[in-house]
Amino acid sequence: MEHIALYRAWRPQSFQDMVGQQHIIQTLQNAIREQRVSHAYLFSGPRGTGKTSAAKILAKAVNCEHGPAPEPCNECETCRRITAGALMDVQEIDAASNRGVEEIRDLREKVKYAPTEARQKVYIIDEVHMLTTEAFNALLKTLEEPPLHVMFILATTEPHKLPATIISRCQRFDFRRVSLDEQTKHLEDVSKQEGIEAEQAALQYIARLSDGGMRDALSILDQISSFTGGKVTYEQVLGMTGGIASEQFAKLAGAMLKDDVGEVLQIVEDFMQEGKSADKCMENLLYYFRDLLLIKMVPQADKLTDRVLHPEEYKEMASAFTREQLFQMIDTLNHYQSEMKYASQPQTLFEVALLKLCGTPKLTNESVIQQSAGQQQAASAGSAEVNQLKQQLATLEKKLEKFMQSGAPASSNKQAASTPAPRMSSKAKIPPHMDQYLAHKDSPEFTDIQRQWGQILQGVKDEKVTVHAWFVDGEPASVTEDAVLVAFKNNIHRETTEKPANKQVIENVLLSKTGKPYHLVTMMQKDWLSALEGDTHQTSEELKLEHEHEGKDPNAKPWIDEALHIFGEDLVIIKD
């Protein structure tokens, strides 16, 4: 008898043959039973989970000569021809090869005609996400208002690539990965009926390798059984698939726990001699430590992963590591796995990652006690520093209280002379050479700056958007030969703009936009307007004196400036 691949021989021919998709099957059968079949379906999910098989079974169910029925008979002429792909009214289209707008337009023309051999025309479009945008647009109208005799079934592994307008016109079914138990049970049934002697551990490992895809699991079983003459053992599966037994990873983890670099490198070399790839070893080791972490943190973690075959062995190894170690190991392996994709020598990166993990700190009980003692010492040392700071604060509070009572600094005249004058925060300073700015306020250079001001602001925004947020509050007031005067409405915006780093950004933009090395000079807009209204022949020194005179507020509190001087702006909070 000619050998037929298992994934073809065991392809589901009816809904009851489907594995792991009971919720979808029941919904489709109820729709057929109640004659509420939709005109368009979207089957999405991982590869090998039965999307195309379900589409063909649905096509047979609605066209069966003894139906429509929840299950096709698979015996009538229509069912047999649909199974063989020989019925013209049931078309399976590969969107990866027919993805253009012309193919979809041709489909739209054929949709108009009634079926010739079956009850209903069914178009199964596989990998529909591969269609072009134009093809989707051409399909849209047909999906929205198809003829009564037409059904569309779209299948895809990447539904997020489909336009929302397409998805909204379909009934969507999400096929899930088949669980480990369901796959293992199905592989057992197939093995018995095909006369294959297979170990339970081997079938479980095949199910793990398939990542929830029943088709991949059957294909792997077929490959291994063909090579071994119908006998499938755990060791043979590992050897043919390039897998690594958990015992070998346990040995590697034990060597890393002991910081035995020589044994770690020897185990890696053994992997390479056996024909394992470094990236596959890295991936499996990452899964191994992930499972160790789950078992350590969750008592029933063996139910959360399909990779743990013997939880008791994992629990023993998991107890040897702390959670912090496992977290760090997973982070390190994940980092090097990403780097390995672009490495010309992946084995070297794999070895470096393992050697780095050998140096992971071991948090034993003794080290925990030492850390606790160190923390206590640090706490005692910290408390001494806190006491010293409290004494200094008490002294400063007494000094400040005395100052507030007297209204003058508590320090001696000699100290006061050597101490910088307290800053007056009531008004911003007047820039020097005010008479020059007043004289050039209507100059051609200033006109040029005004004309380019929008470009200058945009240039500052392109360079650094945070600087632009402050600088946009200012407006150009005047221009001299080497300086641009900008007047601000808000003093905080002006002070922030005056910071050296921010000022440098603005001056660089001025140079690039005007071609001249202008310096940025700022002042408050109200001061500029006062200067314009006053005598234009006043000297800058007179304006400064006038400004200082205006700054004398009868309600001013000089101790605030003294506090700012003593403690600094970051530590002083002023409250009414």
Side-chain angles (χ1 to χ4, degrees):
M1 180 178 176
E2 184 183 356
H3 172 73
I4 300 176
L6 286 183
Y7 73 86
R8 289 177 56 196
W10 286 89
R11 187 168 187 170
Q13 300 302 319
S14 61
F15 285 129
Q16 64 183 3
D17 296 336
M18 297 285 295
V19 180
Q21 312 296 342
Q22 285 74 17
H23 62 299
I24 296 176
I25 302 310
Q26 183 178 352
T27 305
L28 292 175
Q29 287 181 325
N30 290 341
I32 297 171
R33 191 178 293 113
E34 298 171 9
Q35 296 185 0
R36 297 174 60 184
V37 179
S38 175
H39 68 281
Y41 290 96
L42 173 61
F43 292 169
S44 63
R47 68 181 190 278
T49 52
K51 298 184 295 297
T52 307
S53 297
K56 284 192 172 182
I57 295 169
L58 180 58
K60 287 190 289 185
V62 298
N63 285 308
C64 179
E65 294 176 7
H66 301 95
E71 286 285 359
C73 68
N74 286 317
E75 295 178 357
C76 67
E77 182 69 17
T78 300
C79 286
R80 288 203 303 268
R81 290 182 65 187
I82 292 176
T83 301
L87 191 72
M88 292 295 295
D89 292 326
V90 177
Q91 294 283 328
E92 185 174 356
I93 303 169
D94 179 20
S97 305
N98 304 277
R99 60 194 303 263
V101 66
E102 291 300 327
E103 288 85 350
I104 300 301
R105 285 174 179 167
D106 182 59
L107 183 150
R108 286 176 56 187
E109 290 298 320
K110 293 179 180 177
V111 160
K112 300 176 183 178
Y113 302 107
T116 56
E117 300 173 291
R119 186 179 298 111
Q120 196 165 9
K121 275 190 173 184
V122 180
Y123 290 93
I124 302 170
I125 306 179
D126 199 14
E127 300 299 337
V128 69
H129 65 272
M130 296 292 288
L131 290 179
T132 63
T133 303
E134 293 77 10
F136 274 126
N137 291 336
L139 182 63
L140 192 59
K141 188 65 176 177
T142 305
L143 276 183
E144 187 174 20
E145 298 176 359
L148 295 176
H149 58 265
V150 174
M151 175 192 294
F152 285 95
I153 305 176
L154 314 181
T156 179
T157 55
E158 301 182 52
H160 57 278
K161 292 186 177 180
L162 270 65
T165 50
I166 295 290
I167 296 176
S168 66
R169 286 163 172 80
C170 304
Q171 281 192 17
R172 177 173 174 174
F173 291 92
D174 291 323
F175 286 66
R176 65 176 179 86
R177 287 183 170 85
V178 185
S179 68
L180 179 67
D181 292 339
E182 290 173 322
Q183 281 189 306
T184 305
K185 177 68 169 58
H186 190 64
L187 290 175
E188 287 178 0
D189 296 340
V190 171
S191 299
K192 287 177 184 177
Q193 297 194 35
E194 293 291 325
I196 300 172
E197 297 180 23
E199 294 180 356
Q200 179 75 8
L203 295 180
Q204 285 182 324
Y205 192 79
I206 290 173
R208 286 162 53 196
L209 288 177
S210 67
D211 195 25
M214 198 68 247
R215 181 181 62 209
D216 292 352
L218 289 170
S219 181
I220 295 171
L221 177 62
D222 185 26
Q223 176 189 355
I224 296 172
S225 62
S226 299
F227 178 76
T228 59
K231 267 192 170 182
V232 179
T233 65
Y234 182 55
E235 289 74 17
Q236 288 171 334
V237 174
L238 288 175
M240 289 195 64
T241 60
I244 302 173
S246 60
E247 294 80 9
Q248 291 176 282
F249 280 127
K251 183 180 178 183
L252 179 59
M256 293 163 61
L257 195 62
K258 296 182 294 185
D259 288 346
D260 191 340
V261 175
E263 186 177 359
V264 168
L265 293 177
Q266 185 58 51
I267 293 173
V268 174
E269 185 60 30
D270 292 342
F271 286 162
M272 299 302 110
Q273 291 298 325
E274 293 172 9
K276 318 295 185 192
S277 63
D279 56 344
K280 197 67 177 176
C281 290
M282 178 76 84
E283 179 185 350
N284 289 333
L285 186 60
L286 190 59
Y287 280 135
Y288 179 80
F289 282 117
R290 178 258 189 189
D291 293 339
L292 285 183
L293 180 62
L294 283 181
I295 288 178
K296 187 170 187 68
M297 299 183 68
V298 185
Q300 300 298 325
D302 54 299
K303 304 298 182 183
L304 301 178
T305 174
D306 291 342
R307 286 178 292 275
V308 178
L309 300 181
H310 307 290
E312 61 280 355
E313 297 176 5
Y314 276 72
K315 288 178 182 177
E316 183 179 351
M317 179 57 68
S319 63
F321 290 93
T322 65
R323 289 191 302 175
E324 289 72 18
Q325 282 179 280
L326 293 173
F327 278 124
Q328 184 175 347
M329 287 177 165
I330 292 172
D331 284 341
T332 303
L333 290 174
N334 185 59
H335 168 72
Y336 280 98
Q337 186 184 38
S338 302
E339 296 291 331
M340 192 177 286
K341 296 177 184 178
Y342 312 102
S344 57
Q345 296 293 334
Q347 180 182 343
T348 302
L349 273 184
F350 183 47
E351 292 171 342
V352 168
L354 295 180
L355 295 180
K356 188 171 183 179
L357 292 179
C358 285
T360 303
K362 309 299 184 293
L363 295 178
T364 60
N365 291 334
E366 182 180 353
S367 63
V368 171
I369 293 172
Q370 291 176 353
Q371 284 187 1
S372 177
Q375 289 173 356
Q376 290 178 358
Q377 291 177 359
S380 61
S383 64
E385 293 180 359
V386 169
N387 291 332
Q388 184 180 358
L389 287 172
K390 285 181 177 179
Q391 292 176 359
Q392 293 177 355
L393 184 58
T395 303
L396 289 171
E397 286 177 346
K398 290 179 181 178
K399 183 178 179 181
L400 185 58
E401 184 180 358
K402 185 177 180 181
F403 179 85
M404 292 175 66
Q405 292 174 355
S406 63
S411 57
S412 63
N413 293 334
K414 181 177 181 182
Q415 290 174 331
S418 61
T419 303
R423 59 186 280 262
M424 296 296 293
S425 56
S426 60
K427 284 201 174 184
K429 64 180 181 179
I430 297 294
H433 310 298
M434 178 58 74
D435 51 346
Q436 294 187 22
Y437 293 115
L438 291 170
H440 289 80
K441 62 182 179 65
D442 297 321
S443 64
E445 292 80 5
F446 177 64
T447 304
D448 292 339
I449 289 292
Q450 282 185 312
R451 189 176 62 253
Q452 301 180 57
W453 195 246
Q455 299 176 12
I456 293 170
L457 288 176
Q458 184 61 42
V460 174
K461 186 176 182 180
D462 294 339
E463 286 293 321
K464 197 168 184 181
V465 69
T466 53
V467 178
H468 173 268
W470 302 106
F471 187 53
V472 74
D473 181 65
E475 296 180 0
S478 181
V479 176
T480 62
E481 292 182 359
D482 61 348
V484 175
L485 178 65
V486 179
F488 284 80
K489 302 174 185 176
N490 187 294
N491 193 41
I492 295 177
H493 293 183
R494 187 196 65 79
E495 289 181 347
T496 308
T497 304
E498 280 282 2
K499 291 183 178 180
N502 298 343
K503 192 173 181 179
Q504 185 63 48
V505 171
I506 297 169
E507 289 178 348
N508 289 340
V509 173
L510 287 172
L511 176 61
S512 65
K513 297 297 181 182
T514 65
K516 296 182 180 180
Y518 284 120
H519 297 296
L520 176 66
V521 179
T522 66
M523 67 182 299
M524 293 301 295
Q525 193 175 78
K526 58 183 178 180
D527 294 335
W528 173 250
L529 293 176
S530 297
L532 289 177
E533 291 174 2
D535 186 2
T536 56
H537 298 288
Q538 277 185 300
T539 64
S540 60
E541 201 61 36
E542 290 172 337
L543 284 170
K544 282 185 181 179
L545 291 173
E546 186 178 312
H547 176 75
E548 290 175 3
H549 177 71
E550 290 175 356
K552 292 179 180 179
D553 187 352
N555 297 320
K557 299 177 177 59
W559 53 83
I560 293 179
D561 289 312
E562 179 67 10
L564 291 171
H565 171 63
I566 295 174
F567 298 106
E569 294 181 13
D570 296 334
L571 298 179
V572 174
I573 300 175
I574 302 173
K575 294 184 178 179
D576 291 336

